[in-house]
Amino acid sequence: MSPLRGVRSSRLTRGALTLAAAWSTVLVVAALTLGSPTLVEVNGPLVLVPVGLPLVATVVVSGALWRRRRRARPGPGPLACVVTGLVGLLVLAGLLSIGLFVAPVMGLLVLACADATSPRPVRWVGPPPPPPPPPPHPRRAGVSPPAPWGG
């Protein structure tokens, strides 16, 4: 068994992934409910595929980063990087339509992957270190104790 136990991710990584999931969820809800004729009513239910891909990508990147953290492996890993790159391609492909709304998710995923490359302190899971030895007694150390009368 490895002496390293699952290392906690940083607040920046967790915050970026939480914001990416929240923004992606808002995109899906907006496609379903926003507007007099909604985006789904105008373009059909297949429009949920490009609108829902950022949410799926956020879940996949979160899982990949969590798994690498749990196994105490450094860096974001190839899966998180590839999925983040695919979201970047989605932003470029849909730049004139929904790409502008997906761009914050891409930025947050890039931030989470970049933060995952920074080293983290790890906790040693093993026997505790031995206690320090007690200080030597003055009489045993060859030092005579001070006289109680000050002389």
Side-chain angles (χ1 to χ4, degrees):
M1 183 171 172
S2 172
L4 303 175
R5 190 172 283 174
V7 182
R8 294 184 62 184
S9 59
S10 75
R11 287 183 181 177
L12 182 62
T13 302
R14 287 190 310 249
L17 291 173
T18 301
L19 285 174
W23 184 257
S24 300
T25 304
V26 166
L27 286 177
V28 172
V29 170
L32 290 169
T33 61
L34 202 62
S36 175
T38 64
L39 189 64
V40 175
E41 291 172 353
V42 171
N43 297 318
L46 283 179
V47 77
L48 289 176
V49 172
V51 172
L53 280 177
L55 183 59
V56 172
T58 302
V59 170
V60 170
V61 170
S62 298
L65 292 178
W66 175 79
R67 186 178 173 125
R68 288 191 67 88
R69 269 292 167 222
R70 184 144 169 83
R71 295 181 180 204
R73 292 186 179 161
L79 179 63
C81 291
V82 167
V83 171
T84 302
L86 290 175
V87 172
L89 289 177
L90 178 67
V91 168
L92 287 176
L95 198 55
L96 295 176
S97 58
I98 67 163
L100 189 61
F101 299 106
V102 179
V105 175
M106 183 200 63
L108 290 167
L109 291 180
V110 167
L111 182 65
C113 288
D115 187 54
T117 61
S118 63
R120 304 266 183 264
V122 294
R123 186 174 62 154
W124 172 259
V125 179
H137 192 274
R139 289 187 188 173
R140 292 187 194 146
V143 177
S144 60
W149 55 86

